[in-house]
Amino acid sequence: MLYTKQNCMVEWSYTSSKKYGDPFNEVELSAVVTDPDGQARTVPAFWAGGQTWCIRYASPKAGYHHFYTICSDVSNMDLQGREGEIEVATYEGDNPLLKHGPLRVSPNKRHLEHIDGTPFFWLADTWWMGLCKRLKWPKDFQTLALDRIDKGFSVIQIVAGLYPDMAPFDGRGANEAGFPWEEKYERVNPAYFDKADRRIDYLVNLGLVPCIVGCWGYFLTFMGIERIKRHWRNLVARYGAYPVVWCLAGEYDMPYYLSADKERDQNLQRMGWKEAGAYLREIDPYRNPLTIHPGSFIREVPGFADILDFDMLQTGHSDDSIGNTVFRIRQSYQSEPIMPVIDGEVAYEGIGGQCKEQVQRLMFWACVLNGAAGHTYGANGIWQVNTREKAFGPSPHGMSWGDTPWEEASKAPGSHQLGLSKKLLERYQWWLFEPHPEWVETNVSEENRRRHYYPYAAGIPGEVRIIYLPFFYSLFKIKGLEDGVSYKIFLFNPVNGDEIDYGIIKARNGEWSWPPPREDGISWTSLPIFQDWVLVMESTGLDNGSC
């Protein structure tokens, strides 16, 4: 009998007395597990090295679960037809991922939630190369993870060892046990994933959802579709029992930097990753949420969106990325089929000497108030794991993205400030928010309109309104206020979280204008400090006609 608790992974293994010359390629093992309600699911095993295979399982259902194994070599009685029981007890801890369970798409298909229905706000940090040995285990990895959980992050985007911005088997991508695959991609390296296990497990135990990126998209041209499928089967077997999110590939249709035929490779990658996505859907017994990190807009590829659970965007790396960011968020939000949308890569803080904290705040609020289900932050220096001793160095195209060490990048103020903004949103039923651009009117220049640089508004009619005010928008009008409803208003400072109370507004003909009158009779001519602000309006209920 095996024992575990709800949503907690349990592992067991089998060792074959029959010797295989190439066990990874010669044998596939799975377990069919039936839960207390009679639902059966087929759980793939992973090759653990030598003649050993391991199975990992988790369930939100308390009670007794029965399993039996199926092996591609049905004559091997060490692996075929092995039976057992798992007792799953009630989880009574405080880890939200174990208390509420793994993630799924909400019924309205606009955000993510835990399987018990608890809404989940996605605030991710980008650690593309976080499994490499340059981010030392345990000190460096745990230090960064604790910093992120303290600031309010809920997701870590991390690549499963087949990295961007380097050639295959580049030493910068190794962990303490080498590379995830042997050279020529003949088989996986189980020792690599044993080391990676500690990191993924640590994130989950801390309450951070790993968003596991299978590899960068161009690895499909190096490995071929069948090896990519084997790679994903190994990942599902290793990590599917955890509360994870799958990202099929990073920049899925971007050819390798030095590709001799970029158009051919791009077409190959688009078709191949669609096939890989269908395969992943088929073998994941937990149906963990699935997305893909794009090069081009994924909805433009016929049928691809039908495989995915949510849309992940990539919208630029400059101070001027706001235009494309808002355009793409709105484009996805209005597209069919409806699915949550998250900008998974935009304007890493500090990249190119740009994208400082004010740009991070702008991108966050522009995304969320235009319908995104959350936001992904990135700091230049963390994603590629620069160290104080040695920077990551150049990509294959010959250019380096910058030398800031990850320790310094982790202290960039944008990461703290986005956590403050998330905390503000979590005071309300943010999952019911809808964009309402018609709620705010201001004088927008034609240039700023083209750049999508102007105030953004969202909320719940009659309950709460949140308006983000970028720089230069100190005069505006709130429109469409409901008859008989009054609002308590305050300004939220997204830099430090301070609030300035402005009392109860009194609308006229459904409108209210900033600046409001002051008690001393003097009108405000501008916002308190020359920066961006968030105006929050909380309904106080009916006011007997004072509006």
Side-chain angles (χ1 to χ4, degrees):
M1 178 76 71
L2 300 168
Y3 299 91
T4 188
K5 295 184 178 180
Q6 290 170 299
N7 303 311
C8 296
M9 185 269 288
V10 61
E11 176 183 317
W12 68 100
S13 64
Y14 299 100
T15 298
S16 172
S17 58
K18 180 179 179 179
K19 305 300 182 184
Y20 297 96
D22 187 2
F24 174 73
N25 290 302
E26 292 181 41
V27 176
E28 278 195 357
L29 181 69
S30 300
V32 178
V33 188
T34 303
D35 68 26
D37 296 331
Q39 179 182 358
R41 60 180 70 182
T42 301
V43 180
F46 62 88
W47 176 55
Q51 306 296 322
T52 299
W53 286 260
C54 291
I55 301 169
R56 291 175 175 174
Y57 178 73
S59 174
K61 297 180 182 179
Y64 291 94
H65 300 238
H66 177 266
F67 67 84
Y68 66 90
T69 62
I70 51 177
C71 181
S72 57
D73 181 358
V74 296
S75 68
N76 189 337
M77 294 298 101
D78 291 331
L79 305 179
Q80 173 70 17
R82 302 293 297 272
E83 296 189 57
E85 299 281 339
I86 307 167
E87 182 181 357
V88 178
T90 302
Y91 177 79
E92 298 177 347
D94 296 325
N95 185 320
L97 303 183
L98 307 179
K99 180 179 181 179
H100 301 297
L103 303 183
R104 68 184 183 191
V105 174
S106 64
N108 70 359
K109 300 186 185 300
R110 289 301 187 191
H111 65 275
L112 297 173
E113 64 180 20
H114 296 273
I115 58 172
D116 70 352
T118 302
F120 177 83
F121 189 93
W122 178 289
L123 181 59
D125 197 18
T126 306
W127 302 10
W128 293 140
M129 302 181 192
L131 297 182
C132 76
K133 64 183 178 182
R134 290 177 291 112
L135 189 62
K136 297 181 179 63
W137 174 267
K139 182 180 179 182
D140 292 357
F141 191 93
Q142 293 184 2
T143 296
L144 185 56
L146 288 167
D147 177 81
R148 270 26 197 172
I149 200 74
D150 183 62
K151 289 175 178 174
F153 285 87
S154 56
V155 180
I156 301 298
Q157 294 179 186
I158 196 164
V159 180
L162 302 174
Y163 292 132
D165 288 271
M166 64 175 71
F169 304 103
D170 185 313
R172 294 174 292 180
N175 75 5
E176 299 85 350
F179 298 103
W181 280 75
E182 294 180 6
E183 291 196 32
K184 299 182 181 179
Y185 306 107
E186 292 179 352
R187 59 192 60 82
V188 297
N189 173 10
Y192 174 93
F193 291 100
D194 290 342
K195 300 296 185 184
D197 286 352
R198 302 179 302 182
R199 301 178 185 225
I200 297 300
D201 188 72
Y202 185 78
L203 294 178
V204 171
N205 286 332
L206 208 59
L208 290 164
V209 173
C211 176
I212 297 178
V213 184
C215 63
W216 227 243
Y218 50 70
F219 275 89
L220 191 145
T221 63
F222 300 146
M223 300 173 68
I225 186 63
E226 293 308 315
R227 288 299 182 197
I228 287 293
K229 290 179 180 179
R230 298 299 300 273
H231 180 65
W232 264 111
R233 191 180 196 278
N234 180 63
L235 295 179
V236 169
R238 284 263 182 180
Y239 306 120
Y242 287 105
V244 299
V245 169
W246 301 131
C247 181
L248 261 177
E251 293 183 323
Y252 81 103
D253 67 348
M254 184 192 79
Y256 182 61
Y257 312 94
L258 308 179
S259 168
D261 191 336
K262 287 184 167 53
E263 182 177 359
R264 178 204 61 194
D265 288 351
Q266 183 178 63
N267 291 332
L268 175 66
Q269 289 169 219
R270 286 182 175 179
M271 292 186 294
W273 283 115
K274 185 177 177 181
E275 180 179 342
Y279 172 77
L280 175 52
R281 263 284 170 259
E282 177 185 339
I283 66 166
D284 179 13
Y286 304 97
R287 209 186 188 288
N288 291 300
L290 174 62
T291 189
I292 195 166
H293 179 271
S296 58
F297 188 48
I298 195 67
R299 292 179 183 269
E300 295 170 351
V301 182
F304 213 144
D306 296 332
I307 300 171
L308 306 177
D309 290 302
F310 68 97
D311 196 4
M312 180 178 278
L313 305 180
Q314 177 189 21
T315 58
H317 281 299
S318 76
D319 288 349
D320 293 327
S321 295
I322 185 63
N324 189 50
T325 298
V326 174
F327 171 76
R328 289 298 188 184
I329 290 287
R330 288 179 172 174
Q331 181 186 42
S332 179
Y333 187 83
Q334 296 164 6
S335 294
E336 298 285 345
I338 296 173
M339 62 174 65
V341 55
I342 293 166
D343 198 336
E345 182 179 341
V346 60
Y348 292 152
E349 187 164 9
I351 196 167
Q354 302 183 73
C355 307
K356 301 298 186 181
E357 61 267 27
Q358 66 272 23
V359 174
Q360 303 306 314
R361 302 192 299 266
L362 173 61
M363 296 298 176
F364 174 94
W365 285 107
C367 288
V368 171
L369 297 184
N370 277 293
H375 189 68
T376 295
Y377 166 86
N380 196 43
I382 292 179
W383 69 267
Q384 72 273 55
V385 193
N386 288 325
T387 67
R388 294 188 187 278
E389 297 78 22
K390 188 175 182 181
F392 174 77
S395 299
H397 48 61
M399 184 183 70
S400 167
W401 291 104
D403 297 341
T404 304
W406 72 264
E407 297 96 331
E408 293 181 18
S410 70
K411 299 174 184 177
S415 59
H416 172 68
Q417 292 169 7
L418 296 199
L420 295 176
S421 292
K422 171 177 175 274
K423 190 174 182 180
L424 171 67
L425 284 169
E426 289 179 328
R427 288 157 58 173
Y428 308 100
Q429 292 180 300
W430 57 265
W431 57 94
L432 300 180
F433 279 21
E434 294 182 348
H436 284 280
E438 76 281 2
W439 279 354
V440 59
E441 178 184 288
T442 192
N443 184 21
V444 180
S445 70
E446 187 59 33
E447 178 185 358
N448 281 347
R449 190 173 299 280
R450 287 196 304 270
R451 295 173 57 221
H452 294 278
Y453 185 84
Y454 43 73
Y456 306 102
I460 306 171
E463 294 186 22
V464 60
R465 299 181 177 209
I466 292 185
I467 297 98
Y468 177 72
L469 304 163
F471 293 97
F472 308 115
Y473 288 103
S474 59
L475 301 174
F476 54 90
K477 184 181 292 185
I478 304 300
K479 309 264 293 185
L481 291 168
E482 301 82 1
D483 292 338
V485 178
S486 61
Y487 284 90
K488 174 183 178 297
I489 68 167
F490 64 90
L491 281 176
F492 172 83
N493 186 337
V495 175
N496 57 21
D498 288 348
E499 298 176 12
I500 303 175
D501 186 2
Y502 284 92
I504 308 297
I505 69 166
K506 297 186 180 297
R508 295 182 179 179
N509 300 320
E511 298 181 353
W512 175 77
S513 297
W514 183 278
R518 295 195 335 190
E519 292 181 0
D520 56 11
I522 300 174
S523 293
W524 293 90
T525 58
S526 63
L527 294 164
I529 302 174
F530 182 60
Q531 64 167 63
D532 53 331
W533 289 87
V534 180
L535 178 70
V536 181
M537 306 173 62
E538 298 176 345
S539 171
T540 62
L542 297 177
D543 63 8
N544 299 317
S546 63
C547 282

